[in-house]
Amino acid sequence: GELVLFGESLGSAVSLELALDHPAAALVLEAPFTSVRDMARTTLLAPLAPFVRTRYESLARVPRLRMPLLVLQGDRDEIVPPAQGRRLFEAAPEPKRYYAIPGAGHNDTFYVGGEAYWHVIAEFLDGVARTTHAGGAPPPE
């Protein structure tokens, strides 16, 4: 399909769930976390972590992904520890790309990332389009 799913922060878990059940051309996750429980441990909600019912166990589910993945993460994210996005990326199958946005926090990624941020997304989508239209051949490096 030509659909590209994009999820940011909490939306990353929802987009991953969608991607596992619905064919799409690619998945882009920005500031993704490993699970709701892991996130609860890092915030003021820590005492509630054991009671969180909606787990969104992204780390356990991402190995089932069957489409190209781009993970974008501010290297100074103050909400989602960048290590969570990195762990999620490492658990995902190829093809995949990780981009740490230098100096970016949780809510200023595209602003701080500037032209490079948009370039990484455009380059990723261009590679996906070339692969899709070439009948599944990987794009040239």
Side-chain angles (χ1 to χ4, degrees), residues 19-103:
L20 294 175
D21 295 329
H22 298 85
L27 175 63
V28 179
L29 300 180
E30 184 170 305
F33 51 85
T34 48
S35 74
V36 166
R37 189 164 284 185
D38 288 346
M39 270 307 297
R41 286 193 194 109
T42 70
T43 68
L44 296 174
L45 301 177
L48 300 177
F51 306 104
V52 175
R53 288 216 172 97
T54 306
R55 293 212 182 105
Y56 280 118
E57 298 286 351
S58 298
L59 188 62
R61 293 189 173 120
V62 78
R64 294 185 5 234
L65 191 64
R66 296 293 173 261
M67 65 188 68
L69 170 68
L70 171 62
V71 174
L72 304 162
Q73 184 97 46
D75 69 0
R76 293 188 181 169
D77 193 321
E78 70 287 3
I79 307 290
V80 179
Q84 287 198 30
R86 189 75 209 182
R87 281 176 64 208
L88 195 69
F89 170 79
E90 286 167 0
E94 295 283 353
K96 60 187 178 179
R97 172 148 189 214
Y98 183 88
Y99 180 62
I101 305 149

Side-chain angles (χ1 to χ4, degrees), residues 122-141:
E123 197 176 63
F124 173 74
L125 295 178
D126 188 48
V128 168
R130 284 201 311 272
T131 303
T132 304
H133 298 301
E141 286 299 319

